């Protein structure tokens, strides 16, 4: 089985046992929910490139899944470019990639730097911190609030809901909360459009429906914020615990990029996903694949397939952490910028940083989709004459006369809107909420 603390603590031992079944192994995704897990690198490549035999549409599968099943909100069909097939996939992906292409990488880097500096300024007088709750969780949230033109309080609620969905506890309720947050953001941008991804998606020539826009936002914010925080934390853990890196944390960006690439090979933040659903049963590489049963790609297991693993991976980007083929991650460039800059700023801003507990005592959050630490406690030197950071806000706050940590998200221009939430027609709101939960009228 892929659920529970045992899998989270040592997934590699589970992958080793599953390889005895061949390139694809039967697994239990949740109590009573079977699936097939791909652990072979070459077979994973073949599946991800074959849309005809391995479609992404989950609707036939989810007909037999109880609505209270905690993995359903994560795996259920949504009209997003990563969970649909052509021709819809191509139209949605065009809107997403065009929107991402409008983000200026230099402006994004500047905003990440400013936000990181403010978070580090709040941590540095303490001499210790949990880098997950104090840094890696908050930083991507600030970035995505900016990119989507989302007020901080609304963004806070949105990412909290995503966190609850990924815990697989009360995920049905959290899924509805997430839907309402996204609809609220869309209503705000409909009345107050700006230079932000929400507005660009709504105005794209592909003419996405309201439902389609809402689901692309969830995909981008959910995957982006959760996986960015995991990539930051997993890479920082490696830098602080592996003797190949820990001896020289002052060597600059090349060191960070090498460590980040190592994590994408060994501990990718999205460990198992890319679910496909064969519409009929057939034999594939000596394994019988049942119809309408999930075939999950284990990016982590395939990356470390003993038959294809290379000992020297420096400069090698042939891992599967971003996916491959028609569903390859469209935002990997932005994710690299966020993670690399965030880690570089940590190493520069917290001198003599070290783990506060032995690396083997760190614990991982339950769940088979993400590879995520529960916490990353560290110690570091306190700068001389460092003022006590003010308690309170979850986000970096702007003192009177201070600089707001806001940089243009795409073109030189507007910060995220702080306008009050506009009135939303009840009928429009109810229609979209019903659509989200599969009860569209």
């Amino acid at each position: 089985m892929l659920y529970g603390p045992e899998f989270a603590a040592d997934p590699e031992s589970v992958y080793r046992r599953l390889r005895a079944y061949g390139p694809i192994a039967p697994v239990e995704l949740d109590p009573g929910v079977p699936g097939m897990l791909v652990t072979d690198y070459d077979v994973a490549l073949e599946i991800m490139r074959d849309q005809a035999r391995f479609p992404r549409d989950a609707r036939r599968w989810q007909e037999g899944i109880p609505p209270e099943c905690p993995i359903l909100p994560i795996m259920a069909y949504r009209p997003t470019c990563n969970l649909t097939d052509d021709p819809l996939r191509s139209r949605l992906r065009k809107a997403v990639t065009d929107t991402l292409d409008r983000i200026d990488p230099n402006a994004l880097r500047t905003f990440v730097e400013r936000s990181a500096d403010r978070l580090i300024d709040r941590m540095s007088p303490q001499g210790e911190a949990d880098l997950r709750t104090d840094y890696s969780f908050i930083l991507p949230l600030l970035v995505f609030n900016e990119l989507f033109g989302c007020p901080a309080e609304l963004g806070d609620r949105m990412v909290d809901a995503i966190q609850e969905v990924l815990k697989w506890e009360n995920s049905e309720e959290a899924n509805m909360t997430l839907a309402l947050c996204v609809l609220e953001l869309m209503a705000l941008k409909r009345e107050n459009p700006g230079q932000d991804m929400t507005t660009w998606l709504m105005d794209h020539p592909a003419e996405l429906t309201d439902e389609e826009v809402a689901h692309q936002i969830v995909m981008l914010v959910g995957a982006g914020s959760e996986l960015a925080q995991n990539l930051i934390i997993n890479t920082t853990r490696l830098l602080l615990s592996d003797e190949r890196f820990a001896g020289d944390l002052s060597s600059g960006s090349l060191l960070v990029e090498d460590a980040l690439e190592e994590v994408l090979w060994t501990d990718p933040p999205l460990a198992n996903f890319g679910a496909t659903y064969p519409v009929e049963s057939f034999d594939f590489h000596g394994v019988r694949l049942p119809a309408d049963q999930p075939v999950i790609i284990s990016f982590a297991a395939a990356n470390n397939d003993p038959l294809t693993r290379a000992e020297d991976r420096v400069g090698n980007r042939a891992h599967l952490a971003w996916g491959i083929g028609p569903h390859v991650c469209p935002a990997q460039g932005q994710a690299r910028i966020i993670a690399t800059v965030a880690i570089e700023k940590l190493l520069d801003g917290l001198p003599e940083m070290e783990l506060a507990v032995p690396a083997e005592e760190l614990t991982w959050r339950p769940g088979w989709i993400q590879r995520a630490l529960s916490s990353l406690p560290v110690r570091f030197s306190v700068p001389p004459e460092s003022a006590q950071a003010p308690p309170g806000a979850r986000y970096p706050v702007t003192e009177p006369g201070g600089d707001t940590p806001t940089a243009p998200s795409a073109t030189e221009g507007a910060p995220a809107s702080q306008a009050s939430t506009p009135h939303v027609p009840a009928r429009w709101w109810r229609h979209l909420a019903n659509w989200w939960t599969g009860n569209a009228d």
Side-chain angles (χ1 to χ4, degrees):
M1 63 183 186
L2 296 187
Y3 52 90
E6 295 81 8
F7 175 80
D10 188 13
E12 185 52 42
S13 67
V14 176
Y15 299 145
R16 282 196 298 268
R17 293 196 299 271
L18 292 176
R19 289 190 182 100
Y21 288 89
I24 308 175
V27 294
E28 194 172 44
L29 306 175
D30 202 59
V33 181
M36 305 294 287
L37 191 73
V38 181
T39 60
D40 182 282
Y41 182 91
D42 291 331
V43 173
L45 287 178
E46 186 177 349
I47 290 173
M48 286 189 285
R49 290 168 172 159
D50 188 345
Q51 296 183 81
R53 288 188 296 174
F54 295 95
R56 292 288 183 105
D57 192 325
R59 282 176 286 190
R60 284 164 56 110
W61 166 75
Q62 68 193 54
E63 287 175 359
I65 303 299
E68 67 275 8
C69 178
I71 66 173
L72 188 58
I74 301 173
M75 296 184 62
Y77 172 83
R78 296 177 189 269
T80 60
C81 64
N82 67 326
L83 298 178
T84 54
D85 306 304
D86 285 331
L88 178 59
R89 181 205 67 86
S90 295
R91 185 173 69 87
L92 296 176
R93 188 174 176 90
K94 175 67 171 171
V96 168
T97 54
D98 286 351
T99 296
L100 289 167
D101 286 346
R102 295 182 70 170
I103 299 173
D104 179 348
N106 294 322
L108 176 60
R109 174 177 288 273
T110 298
F111 181 73
V112 176
E113 289 175 345
R114 291 181 183 175
S115 299
D117 283 340
R118 294 182 68 84
L119 290 172
I120 291 168
D121 286 346
R122 293 176 66 84
M123 292 188 292
S124 60
Q126 311 302 325
E128 60 182 13
D130 178 349
L131 292 183
R132 178 176 175 257
T133 57
D134 297 334
Y135 189 72
S136 75
F137 175 78
I138 303 173
L139 183 57
L141 176 57
L142 293 172
V143 172
F144 280 88
N145 284 350
E146 173 68 13
L147 293 177
F148 284 89
C150 183
E153 184 275 334
L154 177 56
D156 192 0
R157 284 189 278 130
M158 191 182 304
V159 175
D160 279 349
I162 292 169
Q163 290 278 310
E164 290 300 314
V165 169
L166 288 172
K167 288 179 185 177
W168 298 349
E169 300 170 1
N170 302 317
S171 56
E172 187 175 8
E173 179 182 350
N175 193 44
M176 176 54 73
T177 299
L178 176 59
L180 296 177
C181 288
V182 173
L183 301 180
E184 188 175 334
L185 172 62
M186 290 173 59
L188 185 152
K189 301 314 297 183
R190 182 166 279 106
E191 290 197 4
N192 300 280
Q195 292 297 310
D196 54 70
M197 292 179 65
T198 306
T199 301
W200 296 336
L201 281 170
M202 291 194 297
D203 292 346
H204 192 272
E207 297 182 341
L208 272 61
T209 65
D210 288 334
E211 292 86 355
E212 290 169 344
V213 170
H215 285 288
Q216 306 326 296
I217 292 173
V218 168
M219 175 193 69
L220 290 164
V221 175
S225 59
E226 175 68 19
L227 300 184
Q229 81 159 283
N230 295 340
L231 187 55
I232 293 167
I233 284 298
N234 293 357
T235 304
T236 304
R237 178 195 67 87
L238 180 66
L239 286 165
L240 296 178
S241 63
D242 192 309
E243 61 183 11
R244 293 174 298 161
F245 302 99
D248 186 15
L249 292 182
S250 61
S251 61
S253 60
L254 181 60
L255 176 78
V256 172
E257 291 172 3
D258 287 346
L260 188 145
E261 217 61 52
E262 177 78 7
V263 163
L264 289 170
W265 275 105
T266 59
D267 278 318
L270 190 65
N272 303 284
F273 203 52
T276 64
Y277 304 86
V279 296
E280 60 184 15
S281 180
F282 63 94
D283 292 323
F284 184 72
H285 287 275
V287 179
R288 188 69 176 176
L289 300 180
D292 302 319
Q293 188 176 109
V295 177
I296 310 290
I297 303 296
S298 178
F299 302 115
N303 279 349
N304 297 283
D305 181 352
L307 298 178
T308 56
R309 176 171 178 168
E311 291 302 319
D312 184 8
R313 290 174 166 176
V314 175
N316 186 343
R317 293 190 174 185
H319 55 74
L320 304 181
W322 306 114
I324 201 166
H327 292 284
V328 65
C329 174
Q332 58 184 284
Q334 291 82 6
R336 283 184 180 276
I337 291 174
I338 294 169
T340 301
V341 173
I343 298 166
E344 289 173 356
K345 297 300 289 186
L346 269 181
L347 299 181
D348 290 341
L350 299 179
E352 301 179 28
M353 181 170 58
E354 62 180 9
L355 291 177
V357 299
E360 57 271 18
E361 293 183 12
L362 295 171
T363 60
W364 299 86
R365 289 156 55 196
W368 51 265
I369 291 179
Q370 81 277 7
R371 180 63 170 161
L373 282 168
S374 300
S375 64
L376 188 65
V378 296
R379 294 187 294 258
F380 42 83
S381 298
V382 177
E385 302 178 0
S386 177
Q388 182 71 25
R394 181 176 184 176
Y395 302 99
V397 294
T398 304
E399 294 80 11
D403 294 329
T404 302
T406 303
S409 57
T411 56
E412 288 292 317
S417 171
Q418 299 298 316
S420 60
T421 303
H423 171 70
V424 184
R427 187 171 181 274
W428 180 83
W429 187 288
R430 185 170 59 252
H431 170 71
L432 285 183
N434 286 340
W435 167 277
W436 192 275
T437 55
N439 298 313
D441 47 29

